[in-house]
């Protein structure tokens, strides 16, 4: 699912280029892969600087030695600017790197979150090509030769040191990694997921001793140069690791009046069988609304999701998982840890993202 910050950065950079009198830069375009081809590895695990926007997004559920549940999110964004990519100067701000991290702890009652950004260069910030290797000052995410990831960061109120080990093959979303986001073929991204990552490491809150944690995580990697439908106001997205070893991803894109513009879903069962669900087969039906005391936005924090003939029920780890990024992107959205049940039976854990409830996304 194309992430909110990625879209906002795209708009911001386009406006900067326009006001500077610069011609819009030419970016690579997303297109369906030729027959017999798909996303390649390991090169596609790395950055794609010819595309405008890209992100590596990791979410998961952790458990402390006392059995306490925690949710976490770590995201790295790469966004190409309007500057000439052929400029040899090390000072030319050709790529912008943004990081975002959040910890969901019911004992706190709301998200702990932090964000930072820098232009790529001088070894301080980068998104390398060839394989996943991301840096934003002291925030790092790297993929090793064994396919596992190391994530380390120090946020304002917490720090994370995690190892994420793959237990399943990469899951290509859409058509061999080409994921439609609208009725036009160009409204799409290249998109793969890594569900059921085995997580281990430590979490440290400010003023407290580190706690060892274990759990499961989900990684999304997307890149694109396109925008959503101009009528889009926001979206709902979920990625969930199922208790039986399966994986669920579903999203819908909403118009300003709330109507569904596009939707898609993917389920990979424990045997590896993949089932795709198309716009008329995916529905998000609000069940419980929560009103933010800070923004007054109302979010459907408990939701019924229908994929084909299956009914899923989504419930939050805590209601207040609103993320306020107005000081950097001007946006407010809800992104948090959730449990999921299938036909009334507990089925797994995941993350739910909801945008456009504070105000419509301005594209």
């Amino acid at each position: 699912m194309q992430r909110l910050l990625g879209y906002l950065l795209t708009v911001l950079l386009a406006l900067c280029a326009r006001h500077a009198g610069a011609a819009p830069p030419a970016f690579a375009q997303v297109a369906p892969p030729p027959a017999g081809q798909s996303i390649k590895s390991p090169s596609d695990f790395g950055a794609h600087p010819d595309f405008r926007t890209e992100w590596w997004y990791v979410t998961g559920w952790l458990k402390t030695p006392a059995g306490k549940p925690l949710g976490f999110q770590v995201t790295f964004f790469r966004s190409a600017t309007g500057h000439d990519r052929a400029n040899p100067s090390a000072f030319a701000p050709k790529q912008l790197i943004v990081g975002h991290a959040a910890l969901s702890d019911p004992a706190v009652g709301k998200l702990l979150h932090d964000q930072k950004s820098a232009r790529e260069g001088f070894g301080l910030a980068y998104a390398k090509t060839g394989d996943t290797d991301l840096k934003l000052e002291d925030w790092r995410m790297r993929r090793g030769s064994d396919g596992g990831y190391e994530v380390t960061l120090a946020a304002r109120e917490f720090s994370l040191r995690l190892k994420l080990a793959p237990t399943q093959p990469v899951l290509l979303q859409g058509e061999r990694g080409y994921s439609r986001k609208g009725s036009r073929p160009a409204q799409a991204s290249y998109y793969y997921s890594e569900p059921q990552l085995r997580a281990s490491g430590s979490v440290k809150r400010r003023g407290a001793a580190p706690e060892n944690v274990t759990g499961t995580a989900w990684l999304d990697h997307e890149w694109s140069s396109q925008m959503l439908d101009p009528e889009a106001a926001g979206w709902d997205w979920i990625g969930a690791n199922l208790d039986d070893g399966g994986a669920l991803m579903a999203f819908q894109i909403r118009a300003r009046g709330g109507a569904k513009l596009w939707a898609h879903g993917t389920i990979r069962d424990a045997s590896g069988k993949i089932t795709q669900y198309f716009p008329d087969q995916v529905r998000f039906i609000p069940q419980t609304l929560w009103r933010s005391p800070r923004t007054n936005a109302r979010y459907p924090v408990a939701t019924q999701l229908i994929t084909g003939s299956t009914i899923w029920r989504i419930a939050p780890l805590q209601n207040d998982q609103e993320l306020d990024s107005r000081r950097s992107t001007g946006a407010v959205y809800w992104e948090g840890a959730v449990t999921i049940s299938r036909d009334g039976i507990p089925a797994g854990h995941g993350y739910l993202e909801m945008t456009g409830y504070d105000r419509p996304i301005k594209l």
Side-chain angles (χ1 to χ4, degrees):
M1 181 61 197
Q2 292 193 331
R3 301 281 168 253
L4 174 65
L5 185 52
Y7 280 121
L8 293 172
L9 286 171
T10 299
V11 174
L12 176 62
L13 294 169
L15 289 173
C16 289
R18 182 185 305 167
H19 289 300
F27 296 105
Q29 301 299 306
V30 174
Q37 295 186 23
S38 63
I39 289 175
K40 302 179 294 295
S41 62
S43 61
D44 275 326
F45 290 105
H48 301 79
D50 290 338
F51 290 83
R52 181 140 213 178
T53 308
E54 184 167 18
W55 49 92
W56 295 256
Y57 170 81
V58 182
T59 59
W61 278 65
L62 303 171
K63 185 178 292 187
T64 69
K68 179 180 180 179
L70 302 170
F72 80 94
Q73 182 226 134
V74 176
T75 311
F76 285 86
F77 300 90
R78 176 206 56 79
S79 193
T81 71
H83 288 264
D84 183 2
R85 281 167 283 167
N87 188 333
S89 172
F91 293 93
K94 291 174 283 189
Q95 302 283 342
L96 180 66
I97 308 298
V98 175
H100 181 208
L103 186 70
S104 184
D105 181 352
V108 176
K110 64 179 181 179
L111 281 187
L112 303 175
H113 62 89
D114 200 2
Q115 57 196 312
K116 58 173 61 181
S117 61
R119 65 180 182 180
E120 188 173 43
F122 304 102
L124 299 176
Y126 55 70
K128 292 188 176 181
T129 59
D131 209 337
T132 306
D133 191 354
L134 311 165
K135 181 179 181 181
L136 181 52
E137 298 172 354
D138 59 349
W139 293 21
R140 294 296 309 274
M141 179 174 169
R142 248 183 324 193
R143 183 175 178 271
S145 58
D146 61 353
Y149 296 87
E150 290 189 3
V151 179
T152 59
L153 63 88
R156 288 174 299 174
E157 297 179 283
F158 65 94
S159 61
L160 296 174
R161 299 184 64 87
L162 297 174
K163 290 186 176 181
L164 309 175
T167 64
Q168 298 181 356
V170 166
L171 175 57
L172 301 181
Q173 300 291 357
E175 180 185 349
R176 303 189 306 280
Y178 164 76
S179 174
R180 292 277 294 271
K181 301 300 192 297
S183 58
R184 297 181 182 179
Q187 294 170 343
S189 69
Y190 292 123
Y191 179 12
Y192 70 81
S193 304
E194 292 194 61
Q196 300 288 356
L197 292 166
R198 186 173 62 250
S200 61
S202 65
V203 173
K204 184 183 185 305
R205 296 171 192 77
R206 185 171 58 187
E211 288 188 283
N212 293 330
V213 291
T214 57
T216 57
W218 176 294
L219 182 144
D220 273 354
H221 181 193
E222 288 191 74
W223 58 100
S224 177
S225 297
Q226 299 296 320
M227 304 293 286
L228 292 175
D229 189 297
E231 296 302 313
W235 59 79
D236 307 284
W237 170 94
I238 185 171
N241 290 314
L242 304 180
D243 294 339
D244 63 5
L248 163 69
M249 187 285 299
F251 70 86
Q252 72 168 358
I253 297 168
R254 307 183 317 276
R256 291 178 181 269
K260 179 175 62 178
L261 289 174
W262 194 260
H264 192 78
T266 304
I267 295 177
R268 183 168 68 187
D269 68 19
S271 72
K273 179 184 175 182
I274 296 174
T275 304
Q276 305 268 4
Y277 296 91
F278 299 96
D280 61 344
Q281 299 174 296
V282 177
R283 295 174 62 198
F284 285 75
I285 304 172
Q287 299 294 297
T288 302
L289 297 178
W290 170 78
R291 186 187 297 274
S292 167
R294 295 172 297 278
T295 65
N296 215 35
R298 299 177 71 202
Y299 300 97
V301 294
T303 297
Q304 184 183 88
L305 166 66
I306 298 175
T307 56
S309 61
T310 302
I311 298 175
W312 309 83
R313 293 191 181 274
I314 301 167
L317 175 63
Q318 58 177 329
N319 285 345
D320 191 348
Q321 297 183 87
E322 184 184 53
L323 201 154
D324 187 343
S325 63
R326 283 177 293 188
R327 65 184 175 85
S328 60
T329 67
V332 178
Y333 55 104
W334 195 100
E335 189 158 28
V338 295
T339 58
I340 187 165
S341 63
R342 176 171 42 203
D343 297 327
I345 300 172
H349 301 76
Y351 251 69
L352 175 67
E353 178 182 87
M354 300 182 287
T355 72
Y357 287 94
D358 172 59
R359 63 193 65 184
I361 295 171
K362 294 182 179 180
L363 300 182

